[in-house]
Amino acid sequence: SMSSDRDGSSLSVGGRGIMAVKLSADCVKDEKRALGVAVIWAETAEDASATVASRNLGIEVDGNAGIKLDNNLTLTAGIGYLFAGNAWKAFKGDNDDAIKLHTAVVLTF
């Protein structure tokens, strides 16, 4: 998930820039487990195109979880659902909402 917008690495959509607000909460967080949710609202800095006068990328709802298997190994997983706005639909060329699933095994040393 190197290009994930969740960590601020994607600063532009369609060359139009991006502005976003993220609200997140940890539901469970201790030494072995983590469970969190987030809501992200985003729009482009400029209209999607000359014919699409919208900057609304949409609202994404995320759920993320992690479990520490030992001191150096963690398993993480998450799901995100984007309620796509008109600008996102213009860039993608369809009217479908987007779903992102990810899993990772993190080894620290």
Side-chain angles (χ1 to χ4, degrees):
S1 130
M2 290 296 293
S3 62
S4 172
D5 59 358
R6 294 177 191 159
D7 298 321
S9 61
S10 177
L11 300 177
S12 184
V13 175
R16 302 289 195 270
I18 187 171
M19 296 181 292
V21 175
K22 177 180 178 179
L23 300 172
S24 63
D26 290 328
C27 303
V28 174
K29 187 157 182 134
D30 58 33
E31 288 187 18
K32 295 202 178 248
R33 301 170 296 159
L35 180 64
V37 294
V39 176
I40 303 166
W41 164 83
E43 69 176 23
T44 55
E46 303 172 26
D47 285 345
S49 68
T51 58
V52 179
S54 176
R55 301 184 316 168
N56 181 23
L57 291 171
I59 296 173
E60 181 177 339
V61 178
D62 296 333
N64 297 290
I67 187 164
K68 196 168 194 171
L69 302 175
D70 73 16
N71 288 337
N72 299 322
L73 189 64
T74 304
L75 175 64
T76 64
I79 184 169
Y81 188 91
L82 174 67
F83 297 93
N86 289 335
W88 179 263
K89 293 174 184 178
F91 293 124
K92 293 296 287 179
D94 62 38
N95 290 325
D96 293 337
D97 293 337
I99 297 174
K100 178 179 180 180
L101 301 170
H102 74 273
T103 59
V105 176
V106 181
L107 176 64
T108 56
F109 53 94

